[in-house]
Amino acid sequence: MNLKQNKQTDLKTAISTYVKPGCHLSIGGFTINRNPMAAVYEIIRQKIKGLHLYAHSNGQGVDELIGGHCIASLEIAYAGSGKFASTCIRFKKAVQEKQILVEDYSNYQMTLRFLAGAMGIPFLPTRSSLGSDIIRQWGFSSEMRKATPGLPDDKLKVMDNPFKDWCDTQKVVVVPAINPDVTLIHVQQADLRGNCRIQGLTFADVEQAKAAKHLIITCEEICEDDVLKTDSDRNQIPFIHADAVIHIPFGAYPTACYRYYDYDPRYLKDYAAMANNDKAHGDYLETFIHGLDDHQGLLELVGQERLKTIQADPETGYASNLDRR
Amino acid sequence: MDYTLKEMMTIIAAREIRNDDIVFCGTGISMLAAMAAKNINAPESVIFFETGALDSRLEELPLAVGDSRVMYKTSANGGLLDSFAAMQNPVTGRHVIGILGAAQIDKFGNLNSTVIGDYHSPEIRFSGSGGGCDVASFVPRSIIFMQHEKRKFVNRLDYLTSPGYIDGKGGRKKAGLPDGGPIMVITNLAVMRFDETTKEMYLSGVYPGITPERVLMNMEIEVDISRVKEEIPPSEKELRLLREKCDHQRLIL
């Protein structure tokens, strides 16, 4: 957080200032929607390594960070990109080859963990996962947890309802708070101070933003001071949480941004094919990330014509009749 | 009238959905089944997604539960906290029917969507729970889609991601879960349901041309076949509405 009046900066500076090797990171969005892809690609481009990533179901962004060799450990509920990859491909490979450590939770549990972090409390309870291996199997060993600063000693705990049978509940699972060093989100509109307006589903972006020590916001549109304040009922994240604001049109590309553009089915399909083969994936990293200066470079490589096909229909908020086969 | 297996499976699930159901959908065929119910037999049922979209108007088939297509003409566009709270809260949660899939299932309807092999050195890693474990924990009824293969219907799961009846009757209560569990498993060969007393899976229906013996050959677990009947194929009307209203772009069918 900071209270500066103008937090607008460029992405290279924001990433190098806040995303340090080995830091604890979380990214917003869900599977193939509103992932902060420009920021993800910039982290890969800057070769920032050893990151500890917190995710619920941030498909494409998670897979690219893993494939870009930035991730050492991951706490996650779901690694998939819908029909394009029912299990994220580089994630699958990295886990099977033991290149990354994984701790599994459910989506609700990860969301509650961000909310607990945002609230400043050590944990929150739920009834989800009682009787399952999410409780019994720990991806991070006790030794690793004790030896790693920034991780709680336990994955989670099952406890008796401290209010006896209140609400017909005998037991709860308590999950520990997350306070990422940095959260990255991509939103439709933000102003110079970092007030944010998200359109469509917010996923867990608001909780992730408020739980973080530092928040980096990329946005489709950057607004002058009073624009978002005149209709502030529609804003979800106030500026006090924000550290950096960067104006990047198509900043979620190739994932979707409701009311602006759809996901790019061709990019996601081509990515899945390349990610399946180490050599092709190496070429992908070179051509689509390291060989380019910035996100604008990617948009130019893909070309205006293709971007036009995913432009959102003003009525539906997505690209109606887009060829998605 | 000709129909495909996928159409048969979708329609069988749709017939199970009622007008007072709030339907939790995952990706793929589960979404199609919810759309089919809404367009055919349960027009008042409500489609909802873990991402926070409630009562979406699905003009086109979403390819993921985070697809912008789930955000169109909803009652509210919230977030993950909203959707999971609506399932955990018994006032609304008791009306929710979940539609799930998995890599493995056991005879008590517990599901694995995490790993094949040892959790710490898996032969195959899958996506993980997502909202699956949450739904299976909270809601009173769920429908499960599976491919009917020996390695998928197993005596012992490699990892229990989403609880069904755990170890049989009373298993959920012992674990501390609300009442609930799967009501049926729909596969490419047959339909399984769960015995009222034992909570064990039994064969309740086979598709035309499929014998119970063939079903048994494709599962490691042994199930009772004495109650089996032949499933009724989709009618002309069901097929027409499914093809025209639910997946006219042929993304799944």
Side-chain angles (χ1 to χ4, degrees), chain B residues 23-217:
Chain B
V23 189
F24 169 96
C25 306
T27 307
I29 193 166
S30 97
M31 220 178 280
L32 198 56
M35 290 171 78
K38 185 128 186 90
N39 281 289
I40 300 168
N41 52 296
E44 288 172 30
S45 61
V46 172
I47 295 181
F48 118 102
F49 297 92
E50 66 190 275
T51 44
L54 191 118
D55 205 18
S56 314
R57 186 173 303 167
L58 299 177
E59 302 269 339
E60 292 186 9
L61 191 78
L63 294 185
V65 299
D67 194 314
S68 295
R69 284 157 190 77
V70 309
M71 305 181 195
Y72 179 58
K73 293 261 163 102
T74 54
S75 296
N77 274 332
L80 274 65
L81 280 180
D82 300 292
S83 63
F84 290 116
M87 289 189 273
Q88 190 170 231
N89 173 349
V91 176
T92 41
R94 295 285 96 189
H95 290 271
V96 177
I97 180 167
I99 312 183
L100 302 167
Q104 285 182 328
I105 185 168
D106 68 14
K107 68 177 174 182
F108 296 118
N110 302 302
L111 303 177
N112 172 11
S113 52
T114 304
V115 290
I116 296 294
D118 178 59
Y119 180 61
H120 297 279
S121 26
E123 284 158 48
I124 308 172
R125 171 71 211 204
F126 294 106
S127 59
S129 157
C133 171
D134 303 309
V135 181
S137 296
F138 299 148
V139 311
R141 292 153 68 223
S142 53
I143 296 172
I144 298 159
F145 279 111
M146 293 289 301
Q147 283 299 309
H148 221 131
E149 293 171 33
K150 213 167 192 142
R151 59 190 181 127
K152 295 188 178 220
F153 283 76
V154 294
N155 289 314
R156 201 181 151 70
L157 300 177
D158 290 349
Y159 184 101
L160 197 169
T161 312
S162 305
Y165 297 105
I166 317 255
D167 56 358
K169 191 156 177 83
R172 288 179 69 93
K173 197 174 164 60
K174 232 177 0 198
L177 291 170
D179 283 343
I183 54 167
M184 68 198 301
V185 184
I186 302 172
T187 78
N188 47 319
L189 300 177
V191 176
M192 258 77 52
R193 291 181 187 267
F194 294 85
D195 185 85
E196 277 301 310
T197 323
T198 63
K199 299 296 178 191
E200 271 188 47
M201 187 188 292
Y202 68 90
L203 183 63
S204 79
V206 285
Y207 303 155
I210 308 282
T211 61
E213 290 69 30
R214 178 153 167 224
V215 176
L216 287 180
M217 269 169 52

Side-chain angles (χ1 to χ4, degrees), chain A residues 53 55 58-68 71 73-81 85-104 271 275 281, chain B residues 113-115 119 122 124-129:
Chain A
L53 184 66
N58 323 71
Q60 189 67 21
V62 166
D63 206 46
E64 299 244 25
L65 281 172
I66 293 171
I71 306 299
S73 43
L74 173 66
E75 302 188 38
I76 194 166
Y78 181 86
S81 295
S86 56
T87 303
C88 285
I89 296 160
R90 299 310 295 185
F91 159 83
K92 184 187 190 103
K93 197 174 164 58
V95 179
Q96 290 172 186
E97 293 175 3
K98 296 194 180 181
Q99 290 160 357
I100 57 170
L101 280 171
V102 187
E103 192 69 282
D104 277 277
Y271 170 83
H281 182 254
Chain B
S113 52
T114 304
V115 290
Y119 180 61
I124 308 172
R125 171 71 211 204
F126 294 106
S127 59
S129 157

Side-chain angles (χ1 to χ4, degrees), chain A residues 93-261:
Chain A
K93 197 174 164 58
V95 179
Q96 290 172 186
E97 293 175 3
K98 296 194 180 181
Q99 290 160 357
I100 57 170
L101 280 171
V102 187
E103 192 69 282
D104 277 277
Y105 290 90
S106 74
N107 260 345
Y108 191 41
Q109 289 174 334
M110 287 307 289
T111 311
L112 289 174
R113 297 184 65 199
F114 289 119
L115 178 61
M119 293 168 72
I121 50 173
F123 59 83
L124 275 168
T126 173
R127 301 182 76 178
S128 178
S129 83
L130 285 162
S132 79
D133 280 335
I134 289 179
I135 289 173
R136 290 184 286 265
Q137 297 274 13
W138 294 15
F140 303 165
S141 65
S142 284
E143 297 73 44
M144 175 203 166
R145 288 181 164 279
K146 292 200 173 90
T148 312
L151 287 186
D153 286 356
D154 296 280
K155 177 184 179 184
L156 42 68
K157 280 185 179 280
V158 176
M159 59 185 278
D160 289 337
N161 181 352
F163 296 92
K164 271 177 75 183
D165 292 343
W166 183 240
C167 290
D168 256 336
T169 301
Q170 285 73 44
K171 286 181 200 171
V172 290
V173 181
V174 295
V175 289
I178 296 172
N179 288 106
D181 293 313
V182 190
T183 288
L184 308 169
I185 59 170
H186 182 76
V187 304
Q188 280 85 353
Q189 289 171 297
D191 65 19
L192 299 171
R193 299 166 86 194
N195 291 310
C196 295
R197 181 171 298 173
I198 297 171
Q199 294 179 50
L201 297 170
T202 53
F203 307 122
D205 281 26
V206 179
E207 294 74 30
Q208 290 177 269
K210 293 181 180 179
K213 292 169 193 150
H214 297 291
L215 172 62
I216 300 176
I217 300 156
T218 58
C219 58
E220 290 299 321
E221 282 184 57
I222 190 123
C223 306
E224 290 301 319
D225 267 354
D226 274 351
V227 174
L228 298 183
K229 290 190 82 178
T230 50
D231 198 5
S232 43
D233 308 11
R234 292 164 63 201
N235 304 343
Q236 295 90 353
I237 301 167
F239 78 101
I240 57 167
H241 302 284
D243 289 277
V245 183
I246 308 105
H247 180 215
I248 306 183
F250 282 94
Y253 180 88
T255 71
C257 188
Y258 184 59
R259 296 215 170 280
Y260 285 75
Y261 46 90

